[in-house]
Amino acid sequence: TTNIPVNKRFFLGGENSIRGYTRGDAAPRDFSGNAIGAETFWLLQAELEQRITRSLSLVVFADHLYQSVEEMDDFFRDPLTSVGTGIRFRSPVGQIRFEYGYNLSPRSFDPAGTFHFSIGSPF
């Protein structure tokens, strides 16, 4: 397990995982601040969506991430949590999503939050 290639590790963050981060930026870091990826992770997501019109809805969400660089040694040590809100529009080409995730427990190099725009279902 100590020599898992970088392309086999998990780099979470983005509109389809923990939404307070851009794609791959929630990954564990080394002492220099470089993303090294996780060997294991546990992502918990909850969201409530309220339809306003036939094609427009509001959403509130919470994303919580546990991850480990090596096996399960430090799995619960530094959890990351994002909460946020967004607007979703059902269009002929698919669902269009505008969302903002705010980080409740950012690390020293993490952003306060992140805006996301995507087309398609979140799951």
Side-chain angles (χ1 to χ4, degrees), residues 24-37 69 107 109-110:
D25 281 344
R29 310 273 175 154
D30 63 12
F31 293 110
S32 302
N34 300 316
I36 56 175
V69 175
R107 301 167 291 189
F109 44 82
D110 288 340

Side-chain angles (χ1 to χ4, degrees), residues 15-37:
E15 67 274 3
N16 294 321
S17 65
I18 186 162
R19 290 169 269 193
Y21 298 85
T22 57
R23 188 175 306 237
D25 281 344
R29 310 273 175 154
D30 63 12
F31 293 110
S32 302
N34 300 316
I36 56 175

Side-chain angles (χ1 to χ4, degrees), residues 36-72:
I36 56 175
E39 183 178 311
T40 59
F41 75 91
W42 186 20
L43 178 64
L44 304 168
Q45 295 181 303
E47 62 181 47
L48 297 170
E49 186 172 357
Q50 175 64 51
R51 186 175 283 191
I52 304 300
T53 67
R54 181 178 171 111
S55 60
L56 186 68
S57 61
L58 296 175
V59 64
V60 294
F61 60 84
D63 303 327
H64 191 75
L65 174 66
Y66 294 104
Q67 57 189 344
S68 175
V69 175
E70 293 182 14
E71 297 179 5
M72 301 287 281

